[in-house]
Each structure stands twice: as C-alpha cells, then as structure tokens.
PDB file of all heavy atoms in Angstrom:
ATOM      1  N   ASN A 942     -12.841   0.259  -5.854  1.00 94.00           N
ATOM      2  CA  ASN A 942     -12.435  -1.131  -5.594  1.00 94.00           C
ATOM      3  C   ASN A 942     -13.384  -1.818  -4.598  1.00 94.00           C
ATOM      4  O   ASN A 942     -12.974  -2.632  -3.772  1.00 94.00           O
ATOM      5  CB  ASN A 942     -11.003  -1.165  -5.052  1.00 94.00           C
ATOM      6  CG  ASN A 942     -10.359  -2.524  -5.136  1.00 94.00           C
ATOM      7  OD1 ASN A 942     -10.583  -3.277  -6.072  1.00 94.00           O
ATOM      8  ND2 ASN A 942      -9.554  -2.850  -4.123  1.00 94.00           N
ATOM      9  N   GLY A 943     -14.663  -1.496  -4.716  1.00 92.00           N
ATOM     10  CA  GLY A 943     -15.656  -2.081  -3.810  1.00 92.00           C
ATOM     11  C   GLY A 943     -15.453  -1.696  -2.370  1.00 92.00           C
ATOM     12  O   GLY A 943     -15.939  -2.373  -1.463  1.00 92.00           O
ATOM     13  N   GLY A 944     -14.750  -0.598  -2.145  1.00 93.00           N
ATOM     14  CA  GLY A 944     -14.502  -0.125  -0.775  1.00 93.00           C
ATOM     15  C   GLY A 944     -13.303  -0.787  -0.112  1.00 93.00           C
ATOM     16  O   GLY A 944     -13.034  -0.518   1.061  1.00 93.00           O
ATOM     17  N   THR A 945     -12.585  -1.643  -0.834  1.00 93.00           N
ATOM     18  CA  THR A 945     -11.404  -2.309  -0.276  1.00 93.00           C
ATOM     19  C   THR A 945     -10.169  -1.461  -0.511  1.00 93.00           C
ATOM     20  O   THR A 945      -9.782  -1.189  -1.660  1.00 93.00           O
ATOM     21  CB  THR A 945     -11.198  -3.689  -0.923  1.00 93.00           C
ATOM     22  OG1 THR A 945     -12.351  -4.496  -0.694  1.00 93.00           O
ATOM     23  CG2 THR A 945      -9.996  -4.386  -0.330  1.00 93.00           C
ATOM     24  N   LEU A 946      -9.543  -1.042   0.585  1.00 94.00           N
ATOM     25  CA  LEU A 946      -8.365  -0.192   0.498  1.00 94.00           C
ATOM     26  C   LEU A 946      -7.098  -1.020   0.317  1.00 94.00           C
ATOM     27  O   LEU A 946      -6.974  -2.121   0.849  1.00 94.00           O
ATOM     28  CB  LEU A 946      -8.216   0.662   1.750  1.00 94.00           C
ATOM     29  CG  LEU A 946      -9.333   1.662   2.082  1.00 94.00           C
ATOM     30  CD1 LEU A 946      -9.074   2.317   3.444  1.00 94.00           C
ATOM     31  CD2 LEU A 946      -9.441   2.725   0.998  1.00 94.00           C
ATOM     32  N   LEU A 947      -6.151  -0.496  -0.442  1.00 94.00           N
ATOM     33  CA  LEU A 947      -4.815  -1.049  -0.506  1.00 94.00           C
ATOM     34  C   LEU A 947      -3.965  -0.348   0.560  1.00 94.00           C
ATOM     35  O   LEU A 947      -4.390   0.639   1.138  1.00 94.00           O
ATOM     36  CB  LEU A 947      -4.216  -0.871  -1.895  1.00 94.00           C
ATOM     37  CG  LEU A 947      -5.045  -1.389  -3.071  1.00 94.00           C
ATOM     38  CD1 LEU A 947      -4.292  -1.155  -4.385  1.00 94.00           C
ATOM     39  CD2 LEU A 947      -5.363  -2.865  -2.896  1.00 94.00           C
ATOM     40  N   GLY A 948      -2.746  -0.849   0.783  1.00 89.00           N
ATOM     41  CA  GLY A 948      -1.937  -0.290   1.847  1.00 89.00           C
ATOM     42  C   GLY A 948      -2.111  -1.114   3.111  1.00 89.00           C
ATOM     43  O   GLY A 948      -2.526  -2.277   3.056  1.00 89.00           O
ATOM     44  N   GLY A 949      -1.871  -0.504   4.272  1.00 80.00           N
ATOM     45  CA  GLY A 949      -1.926  -1.266   5.512  1.00 80.00           C
ATOM     46  C   GLY A 949      -3.030  -0.826   6.443  1.00 80.00           C
ATOM     47  O   GLY A 949      -3.637   0.233   6.269  1.00 80.00           O
ATOM     48  N   THR A 950      -3.288  -1.655   7.445  1.00 75.00           N
ATOM     49  CA  THR A 950      -4.294  -1.339   8.453  1.00 75.00           C
ATOM     50  C   THR A 950      -3.668  -0.684   9.674  1.00 75.00           C
ATOM     51  O   THR A 950      -4.337  -0.065  10.474  1.00 75.00           O
ATOM     52  CB  THR A 950      -5.052  -2.603   8.890  1.00 75.00           C
ATOM     53  OG1 THR A 950      -4.107  -3.573   9.359  1.00 75.00           O
ATOM     54  CG2 THR A 950      -5.824  -3.169   7.738  1.00 75.00           C
ATOM     55  N   GLY A 951      -2.342  -0.822   9.815  1.00 74.00           N
ATOM     56  CA  GLY A 951      -1.611  -0.180  10.898  1.00 74.00           C
ATOM     57  C   GLY A 951      -0.684   0.846  10.325  1.00 74.00           C
ATOM     58  O   GLY A 951      -0.851   1.276   9.189  1.00 74.00           O
ATOM     59  N   PRO A 952       0.332   1.272  11.051  1.00 78.00           N
ATOM     60  CA  PRO A 952       1.305   2.220  10.496  1.00 78.00           C
ATOM     61  C   PRO A 952       2.045   1.596   9.306  1.00 78.00           C
ATOM     62  O   PRO A 952       2.915   0.764   9.480  1.00 78.00           O
ATOM     63  CB  PRO A 952       2.250   2.482  11.675  1.00 78.00           C
ATOM     64  CG  PRO A 952       1.482   2.091  12.889  1.00 78.00           C
ATOM     65  CD  PRO A 952       0.602   0.964  12.471  1.00 78.00           C
ATOM     66  N   THR A 953       1.647   1.979   8.104  1.00 88.00           N
ATOM     67  CA  THR A 953       2.273   1.482   6.878  1.00 88.00           C
ATOM     68  C   THR A 953       2.801   2.664   6.094  1.00 88.00           C
ATOM     69  O   THR A 953       2.050   3.606   5.825  1.00 88.00           O
ATOM     70  CB  THR A 953       1.269   0.697   6.033  1.00 88.00           C
ATOM     71  OG1 THR A 953       0.721  -0.388   6.805  1.00 88.00           O
ATOM     72  CG2 THR A 953       1.925   0.140   4.783  1.00 88.00           C
ATOM     73  N   TYR A 954       4.074   2.607   5.749  1.00 89.00           N
ATOM     74  CA  TYR A 954       4.682   3.746   5.102  1.00 89.00           C
ATOM     75  C   TYR A 954       4.737   3.561   3.584  1.00 89.00           C
ATOM     76  O   TYR A 954       4.705   2.439   3.070  1.00 89.00           O
ATOM     77  CB  TYR A 954       6.082   3.991   5.647  1.00 89.00           C
ATOM     78  CG  TYR A 954       6.079   4.331   7.115  1.00 89.00           C
ATOM     79  CD1 TYR A 954       6.353   3.366   8.074  1.00 89.00           C
ATOM     80  CD2 TYR A 954       5.759   5.616   7.550  1.00 89.00           C
ATOM     81  CE1 TYR A 954       6.322   3.658   9.430  1.00 89.00           C
ATOM     82  CE2 TYR A 954       5.732   5.926   8.892  1.00 89.00           C
ATOM     83  CZ  TYR A 954       6.005   4.945   9.829  1.00 89.00           C
ATOM     84  OH  TYR A 954       5.960   5.250  11.172  1.00 89.00           O
ATOM     85  N   MET A 955       4.833   4.669   2.886  1.00 91.00           N
ATOM     86  CA  MET A 955       4.873   4.646   1.441  1.00 91.00           C
ATOM     87  C   MET A 955       6.298   4.325   0.979  1.00 91.00           C
ATOM     88  O   MET A 955       6.995   5.158   0.441  1.00 91.00           O
ATOM     89  CB  MET A 955       4.409   5.996   0.886  1.00 91.00           C
ATOM     90  CG  MET A 955       4.070   5.982  -0.607  1.00 91.00           C
ATOM     91  SD  MET A 955       3.283   7.532  -1.113  1.00 91.00           S
ATOM     92  CE  MET A 955       3.056   7.209  -2.858  1.00 91.00           C
ATOM     93  N   LYS A 956       6.692   3.096   1.219  1.00 90.00           N
ATOM     94  CA  LYS A 956       8.014   2.620   0.827  1.00 90.00           C
ATOM     95  C   LYS A 956       7.963   2.155  -0.624  1.00 90.00           C
ATOM     96  O   LYS A 956       6.899   1.888  -1.169  1.00 90.00           O
ATOM     97  CB  LYS A 956       8.459   1.479   1.746  1.00 90.00           C
ATOM     98  CG  LYS A 956       8.571   1.857   3.218  1.00 90.00           C
ATOM     99  CD  LYS A 956       9.124   0.712   4.039  1.00 90.00           C
ATOM    100  CE  LYS A 956       8.223  -0.508   4.004  1.00 90.00           C
ATOM    101  NZ  LYS A 956       8.725  -1.598   4.901  1.00 90.00           N
ATOM    102  N   ALA A 957       9.160   2.037  -1.209  1.00 89.00           N
ATOM    103  CA  ALA A 957       9.237   1.596  -2.595  1.00 89.00           C
ATOM    104  C   ALA A 957       8.580   0.242  -2.789  1.00 89.00           C
ATOM    105  O   ALA A 957       7.874  -0.001  -3.753  1.00 89.00           O
ATOM    106  CB  ALA A 957      10.695   1.558  -3.046  1.00 89.00           C
ATOM    107  N   SER A 958       8.806  -0.666  -1.839  1.00 89.00           N
ATOM    108  CA  SER A 958       8.245  -2.024  -1.964  1.00 89.00           C
ATOM    109  C   SER A 958       6.720  -1.985  -1.918  1.00 89.00           C
ATOM    110  O   SER A 958       6.042  -2.719  -2.655  1.00 89.00           O
ATOM    111  CB  SER A 958       8.790  -2.924  -0.864  1.00 89.00           C
ATOM    112  OG  SER A 958       8.483  -2.387   0.420  1.00 89.00           O
ATOM    113  N   ASN A 959       6.167  -1.113  -1.068  1.00 92.00           N
ATOM    114  CA  ASN A 959       4.714  -1.002  -0.977  1.00 92.00           C
ATOM    115  C   ASN A 959       4.120  -0.378  -2.232  1.00 92.00           C
ATOM    116  O   ASN A 959       3.047  -0.771  -2.704  1.00 92.00           O
ATOM    117  CB  ASN A 959       4.311  -0.201   0.252  1.00 92.00           C
ATOM    118  CG  ASN A 959       4.617  -0.908   1.549  1.00 92.00           C
ATOM    119  OD1 ASN A 959       4.642  -2.139   1.585  1.00 92.00           O
ATOM    120  ND2 ASN A 959       4.892  -0.170   2.609  1.00 92.00           N
ATOM    121  N   VAL A 960       4.812   0.631  -2.747  1.00 92.00           N
ATOM    122  CA  VAL A 960       4.334   1.275  -3.963  1.00 92.00           C
ATOM    123  C   VAL A 960       4.387   0.299  -5.138  1.00 92.00           C
ATOM    124  O   VAL A 960       3.453   0.232  -5.962  1.00 92.00           O
ATOM    125  CB  VAL A 960       5.156   2.555  -4.269  1.00 92.00           C
ATOM    126  CG1 VAL A 960       4.761   3.142  -5.615  1.00 92.00           C
ATOM    127  CG2 VAL A 960       4.951   3.576  -3.162  1.00 92.00           C
ATOM    128  N   GLN A 961       5.463  -0.467  -5.230  1.00 92.00           N
ATOM    129  CA  GLN A 961       5.541  -1.485  -6.265  1.00 92.00           C
ATOM    130  C   GLN A 961       4.398  -2.481  -6.145  1.00 92.00           C
ATOM    131  O   GLN A 961       3.843  -2.953  -7.137  1.00 92.00           O
ATOM    132  CB  GLN A 961       6.888  -2.224  -6.192  1.00 92.00           C
ATOM    133  CG  GLN A 961       8.086  -1.388  -6.567  1.00 92.00           C
ATOM    134  CD  GLN A 961       8.224  -1.210  -8.078  1.00 92.00           C
ATOM    135  OE1 GLN A 961       7.354  -1.523  -8.834  1.00 92.00           O
ATOM    136  NE2 GLN A 961       9.384  -0.713  -8.498  1.00 92.00           N
ATOM    137  N   GLY A 962       4.047  -2.805  -4.899  1.00 93.00           N
ATOM    138  CA  GLY A 962       2.956  -3.756  -4.661  1.00 93.00           C
ATOM    139  C   GLY A 962       1.611  -3.244  -5.140  1.00 93.00           C
ATOM    140  O   GLY A 962       0.859  -3.983  -5.785  1.00 93.00           O
ATOM    141  N   ILE A 963       1.313  -1.962  -4.868  1.00 95.00           N
ATOM    142  CA  ILE A 963       0.004  -1.443  -5.299  1.00 95.00           C
ATOM    143  C   ILE A 963      -0.035  -1.237  -6.810  1.00 95.00           C
ATOM    144  O   ILE A 963      -1.089  -1.406  -7.439  1.00 95.00           O
ATOM    145  CB  ILE A 963      -0.371  -0.145  -4.553  1.00 95.00           C
ATOM    146  CG1 ILE A 963       0.570   1.003  -4.906  1.00 95.00           C
ATOM    147  CG2 ILE A 963      -0.429  -0.364  -3.048  1.00 95.00           C
ATOM    148  CD1 ILE A 963       0.119   2.352  -4.357  1.00 95.00           C
ATOM    149  N   ILE A 964       1.119  -0.903  -7.409  1.00 95.00           N
ATOM    150  CA  ILE A 964       1.162  -0.783  -8.864  1.00 95.00           C
ATOM    151  C   ILE A 964       0.953  -2.156  -9.509  1.00 95.00           C
ATOM    152  O   ILE A 964       0.205  -2.304 -10.494  1.00 95.00           O
ATOM    153  CB  ILE A 964       2.500  -0.185  -9.327  1.00 95.00           C
ATOM    154  CG1 ILE A 964       2.586   1.289  -8.892  1.00 95.00           C
ATOM    155  CG2 ILE A 964       2.654  -0.309 -10.834  1.00 95.00           C
ATOM    156  CD1 ILE A 964       3.922   1.936  -9.186  1.00 95.00           C
ATOM    157  N   ALA A 965       1.608  -3.176  -8.950  1.00 95.00           N
ATOM    158  CA  ALA A 965       1.424  -4.544  -9.469  1.00 95.00           C
ATOM    159  C   ALA A 965      -0.035  -4.985  -9.351  1.00 95.00           C
ATOM    160  O   ALA A 965      -0.584  -5.589 -10.275  1.00 95.00           O
ATOM    161  CB  ALA A 965       2.336  -5.515  -8.706  1.00 95.00           C
TER     162      ALA A 965
END
C-alpha cells in the first residue's frame, strides 16, 4: 500500500469496528 499502514498510530485495538473499517 505504498508503505501506508492501516490501523492506528497510538494504542489501537483490533476491535470489530476497526476490523470492519480495514475490510471496507
């Protein structure tokens, strides 16, 4: 992805909402 990470820059947990976001 051109070196661009998904997820968070601080403490970000693998919650359902975050997983739905990366899948979307």
Side-chain angles (χ1 to χ4, degrees):
N942 197 36
T945 301
L946 298 174
L947 306 181
T950 56
T953 302
Y954 297 99
M955 195 171 179
K956 299 185 297 185
S958 58
N959 291 332
V960 174
Q961 291 282 12
I963 65 172
I964 292 174

